[in-house]
Amino acid sequence: MDEPLLRRLDADEEVRRFGRSAVLRRAAADYLRRARAKRIAEAYRLGYGKDKGLGEEFAGWQDEGSWPAK
């Protein structure tokens, strides 16, 4: 990290209270959690997106099932 960024970070109240390493660990963990959620959401979008259907293997089966009566 560059020195100006480190100075700004070190001036922060939370960093002074908990320490730079703790705040950076939490920031890294948050980043990785968001990145994973984004990858999962993208996989769902690609797999179940508009007009994707269930693929050739299951073609026609959508008409075979029925919903239970209420």
Side-chain angles (χ1 to χ4, degrees):
M1 285 191 210
D2 60 43
E3 286 300 319
L5 179 58
L6 288 175
R7 280 194 296 275
R8 288 176 45 210
L9 187 63
D10 290 341
D12 183 78
E13 176 64 32
E14 189 173 351
V15 174
R16 287 196 308 266
R17 190 174 330 127
F18 298 107
R20 185 193 293 171
S21 293
V23 171
L24 291 176
R25 276 192 306 272
R26 189 171 60 230
D30 288 344
Y31 167 78
L32 293 172
R33 189 173 20 262
R34 286 191 315 271
R36 182 176 185 271
K38 186 177 176 181
R39 285 192 309 273
I40 290 170
E42 179 65 10
Y44 273 107
R45 188 188 68 74
L46 290 173
Y48 297 104
K50 183 178 177 183
D51 299 324
K52 291 292 184 178
L54 296 174
E56 290 181 26
E57 181 179 352
F58 295 102
W61 282 96
Q62 67 272 14
D63 299 325
E64 296 298 319
S66 63
W67 289 98
K70 288 187 176 183

